Amino acid sequence: QLQLAESGGGLVQAGGSLTLSCTASGSIFRINVMAWYRQAPGKERELVADIPSGGSPNYADAVKGRFTISRDDAKNTMSAQMNTLKPEDTGVYYCYADITSQSLNNFHIWGQGTQVTVSS
């Protein structure tokens, strides 16, 4: 069974930093795309950043210059370094992966989410 596990959320003051991590597990042949999404209270889930296999990351305008994502395909992990955090960055952050399984089927997998709260 394919799974994503996130860690690293928490409470931080505005201007501070947090690092999120995501680890994929299961019968993985290839992870095509990994991404971070977030959902603030009362708002729709939105893309924060994504990174394709062997490609460069793409960032939402709201986080450009402050967030950096990277992935380690050997370990099936992705991380997000979030700097200069703002109260509007508050929300539940979800890891997402587009995964091709060992049986060569394609799956869209979500993590359970991790809370990030930025106080003003």
Side-chain angles (χ1 to χ4, degrees), residues 62-82:
V63 307
K64 278 181 183 176
R66 301 187 297 120
F67 290 12
T68 302
I69 67 169
S70 60
R71 57 187 282 179
D72 183 336
D73 288 339
K75 297 180 179 179
N76 292 329
T77 60
M78 175 180 63
S79 65
Q81 176 64 44
M82 307 187 297

Side-chain angles (χ1 to χ4, degrees), residues 44-114:
E44 294 187 352
R45 192 173 298 188
E46 63 177 1
L47 176 66
V48 174
D50 63 23
I51 181 168
S53 177
S56 299
N58 303 290
Y59 298 94
D61 288 342
V63 307
K64 278 181 183 176
R66 301 187 297 120
F67 290 12
T68 302
I69 67 169
S70 60
R71 57 187 282 179
D72 183 336
D73 288 339
K75 297 180 179 179
N76 292 329
T77 60
M78 175 180 63
S79 65
Q81 176 64 44
M82 307 187 297
N83 297 326
T84 319
L85 284 161
K86 304 176 181 180
E88 51 263 43
D89 293 317
T90 294
V92 178
Y93 284 67
Y94 296 91
C95 178
Y96 161 85
D98 177 338
I99 298 175
T100 301
S101 67
Q102 293 283 358
S103 59
L104 301 183
N105 292 305
N106 214 61
F107 296 89
H108 301 281
I109 307 298
W110 291 90
Q112 80 284 359
T114 185

